[in-house]
Amino acid sequence: NGSDRATTFISTNQLTVDILASDIANEGAATLTVFSPAPGGGTSNTEGFTILPDQPGGSTTVDFDTPAPPGVDFDLISGVFEGLDFGATDWRWESAYGPNPTNHIYFDSNVGTSRTFQFASQPAVLTGMTVFAFSNGVLTLTDSAGQTYSAAIAPGSLVVIQTGWTLPADTVTVDFSAGWDLGVDDIQFQ
C-alpha cells in the first residue's frame, strides 16, 4: 500500500518481503508493487490481495467424527453441518470404508461428476481436505471466487489436499472425473 518494506532477492522469479503485523492488522484490500532502482529499474504492475479477519481458533476442520452427522451410515447429509451447508440431496456420509478409517462424505449417487457445498455463516477460504478414490480420476475444486485446484487421484490411499487459496468464497464445487468413486474427509476452512 505504498510503504517501503525490507525485501530479499531469492531468484529472478521470487522475492521475500518483511510484512509488519500492522500491515495486516485490518481486514480489506491491499496492494503490492516492487520497485528496482536505476539503471534498468522501475516499478512493477500492482498485485492486489485480501487481508482476512482473524478467526477465533484460526481455522475449522470438519472431520465428520466429532460429532458424527445425524442418522446412520449412508444417510443423506443435508442442510448445515459444522458450518458447511451441504444442500438437501447432494451428499451422503458413511463410517470407515476403504483406506479411510473414519467417517467421511461422498456423492449421493453415481449421476454426475460434481457436487457443491456452501459456507453457512459467511464467506470463507477452503484451505484443504483429505480425499480418497476407488478409481483413477482428476479432482478439480473450484469456488465462487474463481479459484481452482486440480490433481490426479489414484485409488487406494488418503491424499491430503492443500488448495493454496487466499480469497474467501461462498460456494465450493467438488468435481471428480470418476464420479462418486471419491470420498471426502477433514474439510478445512478459515
Side-chain angles (χ1 to χ4, degrees), residues 74 76 89-92 106-111 114-115 180:
F74 312 113
L76 287 169
T89 59
D90 285 343
W91 298 90
R92 292 188 180 273
Y106 63 97
F107 295 177
D108 69 307
S109 73
N110 63 356
V111 176
S114 66
R115 301 293 187 271
W180 76 338

Side-chain angles (χ1 to χ4, degrees), residues 8-16 34:
T8 303
F9 176 84
I10 303 296
S11 71
T12 58
N13 296 320
Q14 183 180 2
L15 301 172
T16 60
V34 176

